[in-house]
Amino acid sequence: MTLIRLSQIDSSMIDRVGGKAAGLGEMIRAGERVPDGFCLTVESYESRRLPDEELADAYERLGGGRVAVRSSATAEDLPDASFAGQQDTYLNVEGAGPLVDAVRRCWDSLHTERAVAYRATAGIDDAAMAVVVQRMIDPVVAGVLFTANPITGCRTEMVVDAAPGLGTAIVDGTVVPDHYVLGHRTPAVPNGAGCLGKEQLEALRDAGRRLQKHFGSPQDIEWAIDADGTLWLLQSRPITTLFPAPPDTGDTRLYLEFGHIQGMLRPVTPMGVSLLKAGGGLWFKAAGATTHPRDPMPRLVSIGGRLYFDLTDFIRNKTMRKRLRTSLEVYGPRVRGAVERMMDDPRFAPRRGMPFRVGSAVKMTLRLTGPAIFGIARSLAWPDAARARAYRGLEEIRRSITPPPEPATPAERLRWVIEDSHKAVMGVDMMGIVWPLMAGMIVGVAPSALLNGIATDEELDVVLGGMPHNVTTEMDLALWRVAVNAREHRDLFLTTPPDELAARYREGRLPDIGMASFLDRYGMRAAAEIDVGMPRWADDPAPLFATIANYLRVDDPEQAPERRFEQAARRAEKMVETLSRRARRARPVRGRLAAFLMRRSRRLTGLREIGKFAWLPALQAARGQLLLTGDDLVAQGLLERADDIMFLDLFEARAAVHDGADHRDLVAARRAAYERELRRPTVPGALLSDGTDVEALAPQGPVEGGVLTGMAGAAGRATGRARVIRDPSGAHIEPGEILVAPTTDPGWTPLFMTTAGLVTETGSPVAHGPTVAREYGIPAVICVRNATHEIKTGQLITIDGSAGTVRIEEED
């Protein structure tokens, strides 16, 4: 059957009738008023045979006259992608001949350049086209209703845009509509005479509630009101741009995004969240805290696959909220400003009670204070010995991570992952690593307070350049040396795709350039490496071969990364001497202390990366055991692929291993949601429990033409062509270009070694990206909102890492 009445369609028929027709059929079945019509199914499109006579007969049975001919692609109006305006609609079509012509044009619109590009961006390979034919409505007023605020994400507000006549003027953007925000109770009517009255707004709100309940998610609804005052519903589809709502706790909560401090905005797999919490719980337990075995870190919440911290109880505490302003500086000005606005919100007024168990806090304080004072003081007194102690601890952790011997059962593997994989690394002092690391962080920031009014921020940043003993910097320089070894095979590494090079390496068909020894030391690393669900470089070295190709394009010896690092180190040492003399002249006692701390910083601050580095062997070993467990579950028919286990949590994996629980449907749903979230362009830094993106509530300040404002990340200025990169895997960047990215973590830093500067949308001055940028002596501007959209690859830009600005240069 190629023609079906809309009243006979439901959501199960989407593959035959497309998203729009399925939505219209569901609305009719739910009892809503929808213009009568029929659907020409995808069978006709796929056969490329248009049933002219059947189409004319159906048109006559509909009553003839004027109709709307609307595209209904199988990839349209889906939870993942709305395809709004990507395919064509034709209104006021009258007569069988024009109807046939309009249908053919709807078919053709599936393959326009814009529709093909949209599908590619949405990760959709192909689609087929059905066509909806409906009786035309002559509206007095028409528009769009969103059952959640599409700008802020707030689920307790509806938004209506309305204009006289056809609603196409609104969706086309050719008119300025009346704009209404409907709260819980009274609709907000714009100043002056709007085109909708209170009763009409109430009718729209009621319809929105019904459709949201019916479809089970917030909806984007097109509607029209005719001369008789009748409300007609013309379309309902999911609002695809909303960030997932936090879990419903029955209370208004404030969540702070945690991942971008680590330079990570991509979603974390469910297993990644579960193991992170289990490992963190071990540390808190060792420190004296009482934890729940099922969820040892309940304030760390996964929302849309991202890690958020529930800040509610802290912001509602009088004592803690006073300290929040200072601690939030590391999150950047937008997030800090968002949280500060919430401090004035009555929903977060101070309440009685502490945000943590007092008993646990006392135990942790007693257990940690003495060792902390002793460990930090000893590290400051004998920094070289402290650093040596930290490196010994690092090797001891690696040696102590011993998975169960073969042959091991799935139960034994899983028990080791849960109970033993993190034991060595999650002790209170992490085998002597913690206190030298903490001492390094303290002496890295303390001089700025002592030298206030004596040294500029830019001068203090220079002191942190070329910092030795940073494991991430050492890794990047080691990869540079591998690239130097590859020079005699330059053409091979420049002209062969990274994936093919990786395949040849695994097969032993590549020249020996030192990759094996590099992976032996650093193969546990990757982009988004805190997620056990992410492949390591040892699993897939293709990103490394892409970076080696970038390094091989460096022709200027002065741009060689090791030379740039050495120059940054010399400038830092010289600046320490300059500031020491200046400070002693201005403030003798304070100046001597500042000089002492700057010199200690050069010997300890580089250790700031070692804590995470020490954790990675445990994650790599746990990943290996989980994948082997996944293999066993595949053999039992409980999973489709070994890495499906990364879309379960530890308790669900245990149920599969011990009870034979079949999680294939759950894994498929979670994998689809994960793939959808990978494509999300922005992630809220601060989120309310009703889904509101708190940053979106901020008034926009004045913007100078061509200048984007962010936050100082690393001092210096640079002008160069922008290279926008959203994923470091296989990324190509020319020497001297300025890297523009959503965020960066250690997996990105090999790209830094040939860039002239760095711009990111998120971050913190103490995050990995800006820290490594300072050590390489390249400027960085962070927290530039929508940088990867406002800046285009190839544009000439100037960045000022001290002022926190990016200027898009005008070119003739």
Side-chain angles (χ1 to χ4, degrees):
M1 183 186 300
T2 57
L3 291 173
I4 307 177
R5 290 285 299 271
L6 291 179
S7 59
Q8 297 174 313
I9 293 173
D10 61 38
S11 59
S12 68
M13 302 166 68
I14 190 169
D15 290 339
R16 293 182 60 202
V17 301
K20 185 178 277 97
L24 291 168
E26 282 291 328
M27 285 198 290
I28 293 171
R29 286 175 174 266
E32 301 296 341
R33 187 178 290 103
V34 175
D36 195 12
F38 59 87
C39 176
L40 179 66
T41 66
V42 298
E43 286 97 331
S44 181
Y45 169 82
E46 290 171 341
S47 70
R48 306 308 294 176
R49 187 186 69 83
L50 189 59
D52 297 20
E53 292 185 8
E54 291 178 60
L55 195 59
D57 289 344
Y59 171 65
E60 291 303 323
R61 287 195 301 271
L62 191 60
R66 294 177 299 113
V67 293
V69 181
R70 313 173 70 190
S71 63
S72 183
T74 53
E76 192 171 348
D77 293 355
L78 302 179
D80 298 3
S82 69
F83 277 78
Q86 301 305 310
Q87 278 87 224
D88 288 344
T89 288
Y90 299 95
L91 303 179
N92 294 311
V93 176
E94 189 167 5
L99 172 61
V100 169
D101 181 60
V103 169
R104 289 192 184 279
R105 283 185 286 166
C106 275
W107 281 1
D108 292 342
S109 70
L110 187 66
H111 301 289
T112 61
E113 184 177 343
R114 72 187 185 205
V116 171
Y118 186 98
R119 285 198 296 275
T121 301
I124 297 170
D125 294 330
D126 202 1
M129 177 68 81
V131 178
V132 169
V133 179
Q134 287 178 281
R135 292 184 60 85
M136 277 293 300
I137 300 298
D138 288 323
V140 174
V141 60
V144 181
L145 163 68
F146 292 94
T147 66
N149 192 314
I151 304 301
T152 67
C154 180
R155 267 59 167 193
T156 59
E157 292 178 345
M158 294 189 189
V159 172
V160 177
D161 281 344
L166 293 171
T168 52
I170 294 178
V171 296
D172 291 344
T174 57
V175 300
V176 178
D178 289 342
H179 183 73
Y180 306 80
V181 177
L182 313 183
H184 280 299
R185 299 176 180 85
T186 305
V189 181
N191 294 330
C195 59
L196 292 178
K198 183 176 180 181
E199 290 184 1
Q200 293 169 318
L201 289 170
E202 289 290 354
L204 284 168
R205 178 159 52 187
D206 290 343
R209 286 172 175 163
R210 293 192 304 268
L211 288 175
Q212 179 167 291
K213 181 178 180 181
H214 179 81
F215 287 106
S217 66
Q219 296 290 295
D220 168 359
I221 302 163
E222 292 183 16
W223 54 270
I225 298 174
D226 64 21
D228 296 327
T230 302
L231 172 63
W232 296 88
L233 301 180
L234 309 178
Q235 179 173 294
S236 188
R237 62 190 177 198
I239 305 175
T240 59
T241 57
L242 291 177
F243 191 73
D248 184 6
T249 64
D251 183 24
T252 300
R253 314 292 295 178
L254 174 62
Y255 299 92
L256 201 61
E257 205 275 325
F258 172 78
H260 83 262
I261 290 294
Q262 292 293 320
M264 178 177 169
L265 285 185
R266 65 180 294 142
V268 182
T269 61
M271 184 60 75
V273 175
S274 186
L275 189 59
L276 189 153
K277 286 193 169 197
L282 286 176
W283 188 89
F284 279 104
K285 187 174 181 180
T290 301
T291 61
H292 192 283
R294 184 90 189 183
D295 188 0
M297 300 175 69
R299 283 196 174 88
L300 195 61
V301 181
S302 177
I303 306 172
R306 278 72 177 192
L307 299 172
Y308 281 81
F309 182 78
D310 186 347
L311 196 66
T312 312
D313 295 335
F314 293 86
I315 200 172
R316 284 177 175 163
N317 180 269
K318 284 185 177 181
T319 302
M320 301 301 296
R321 67 160 41 205
K322 292 176 182 177
R323 300 174 182 173
L324 279 178
R325 297 180 191 274
T326 301
S327 61
L328 287 170
E329 288 182 4
V330 299
Y331 275 86
R334 294 202 317 271
V335 175
R336 185 182 69 240
V339 175
E340 288 176 344
R341 283 192 296 277
M342 289 299 99
M343 291 182 184
D344 297 326
D345 191 307
R347 293 173 293 179
F348 296 101
R351 299 180 181 179
R352 290 184 177 181
M354 296 297 290
F356 42 75
R357 292 189 180 96
V358 176
S360 290
V362 171
K363 286 181 182 178
M364 291 180 67
T365 300
L366 292 175
R367 186 166 297 185
L368 295 175
T369 300
I373 293 173
F374 175 75
I376 292 172
R378 184 167 63 155
S379 298
L380 292 175
W382 298 284
D384 295 335
R387 196 172 59 250
R389 194 161 51 249
Y391 282 129
R392 286 196 301 272
L394 190 66
E395 293 308 315
E396 181 60 28
I397 288 171
R398 291 176 72 115
R399 285 194 299 269
S400 64
I401 297 172
T402 53
E406 298 296 339
T409 67
E412 289 169 337
R413 296 187 196 283
L414 195 58
R415 186 210 61 78
W416 182 84
V417 169
I418 297 171
E419 298 179 12
D420 296 337
S421 65
H422 282 55
K423 270 186 177 178
V425 72
M426 288 303 174
V428 170
D429 70 346
M430 293 176 66
M431 299 287 186
I433 290 174
V434 167
W435 309 128
L437 182 158
M438 293 297 295
M441 294 180 70
I442 291 169
V443 295
V445 299
S448 63
L450 293 170
L451 296 174
N452 185 31
I454 297 174
T456 67
D457 290 341
E458 189 167 354
E459 289 172 327
L460 291 169
D461 269 356
V462 171
V463 172
L464 299 175
M467 189 70 73
H469 317 303
N470 185 319
V471 289
T472 298
T473 305
E474 291 168 353
M475 173 193 76
D476 294 340
L477 292 172
L479 186 59
W480 166 256
R481 289 189 287 273
V482 174
V484 170
N485 296 338
R487 283 176 179 168
E488 60 180 297
H489 311 285
R490 189 174 188 273
D491 289 344
L492 170 67
F493 286 96
L494 280 176
T495 61
T496 308
D499 288 339
E500 185 178 335
L501 289 170
R504 290 191 193 183
Y505 170 77
R506 286 189 288 264
E507 295 163 3
R509 296 192 294 115
L510 271 189
D512 182 9
I513 58 173
M515 181 61 78
S517 59
F518 178 87
L519 289 176
D520 183 60
R521 177 66 175 166
Y522 299 109
M524 60 192 174
R525 307 211 76 167
E529 60 197 4
I530 64 170
D531 180 4
V532 74
M534 287 295 293
R536 312 286 114 173
W537 285 338
D539 304 327
D540 179 17
L544 298 176
F545 287 111
T547 302
I548 287 171
N550 292 332
Y551 291 172
L552 290 173
R553 296 185 179 95
V554 177
D555 297 322
D556 182 358
E558 291 301 311
Q559 292 301 312
E562 56 189 4
R563 181 73 60 86
R564 293 170 67 182
F565 184 77
E566 291 168 0
Q567 291 171 344
R570 285 197 296 271
R571 286 196 299 269
E573 295 289 352
K574 184 177 179 181
M575 184 60 70
V576 168
E577 293 299 324
T578 298
L579 294 182
S580 296
R581 288 193 300 271
R582 189 190 303 169
R584 284 196 296 268
R585 286 196 302 268
R587 301 169 182 170
V589 175
R590 186 180 294 189
R592 287 185 174 83
L593 178 57
F596 169 80
L597 292 176
M598 283 189 289
R599 292 194 174 93
R600 284 295 185 264
S601 175
R602 302 291 304 168
R603 296 162 76 176
L604 288 173
T605 299
L607 293 177
R608 72 174 301 279
E609 297 278 326
I610 200 172
K612 182 180 176 185
F613 191 75
W615 177 29
L616 295 177
L619 283 176
Q620 184 183 35
R623 176 178 170 81
Q625 294 301 304
L626 287 168
L627 289 175
L628 290 171
T629 304
D631 281 330
D632 288 315
L633 295 176
V634 169
Q636 297 175 49
L638 300 176
L639 293 178
E640 297 291 341
R641 297 163 33 179
D643 67 344
D644 281 351
I645 198 170
M646 301 304 175
F647 293 91
L648 303 175
D649 64 27
L650 290 168
F651 297 95
E652 292 160 347
R654 180 184 282 167
V657 167
H658 291 280
D659 306 326
D662 187 340
H663 293 307
R664 285 177 292 183
D665 289 343
L666 176 64
V667 165
R670 286 181 177 171
R671 189 183 282 276
Y674 179 83
E675 295 291 339
R676 181 167 64 249
E677 286 301 318
L678 280 175
R679 297 190 293 271
R680 185 175 296 281
T682 58
V683 176
L687 193 66
L688 293 182
S689 50
D690 64 6
T692 300
D693 177 353
V694 184
E695 290 181 62
L697 302 176
Q700 296 297 317
V703 178
E704 182 184 347
V707 176
L708 306 177
T709 302
M711 184 179 184
R717 296 167 186 79
T719 298
R721 298 289 172 185
R723 175 70 66 170
V724 179
I725 297 176
R726 293 183 175 85
D727 187 336
S729 300
H732 167 75
I733 188 166
E734 293 286 343
E737 290 183 324
I738 295 175
L739 172 61
V740 182
T743 187
T744 56
D745 72 354
W748 286 76
T749 59
L751 295 175
F752 293 10
M753 300 184 73
T754 55
T755 64
L758 171 68
V759 178
T760 64
E761 294 179 332
T762 66
S764 155
V766 299
H768 304 285
T771 296
V772 175
R774 287 192 293 269
E775 292 174 2
Y776 289 159
I778 64 173
V781 180
I782 60 176
C783 299
V784 180
R785 192 174 183 87
N786 297 324
T788 59
H789 299 277
E790 298 288 342
I791 302 170
K792 310 299 181 187
T793 292
Q795 283 183 320
L796 187 67
I797 62 174
T798 297
I799 68 172
D800 187 327
S802 301
T805 59
V806 180
R807 179 183 295 276
I808 301 174
E809 303 290 357
E810 293 184 5
E811 297 186 78
D812 296 332

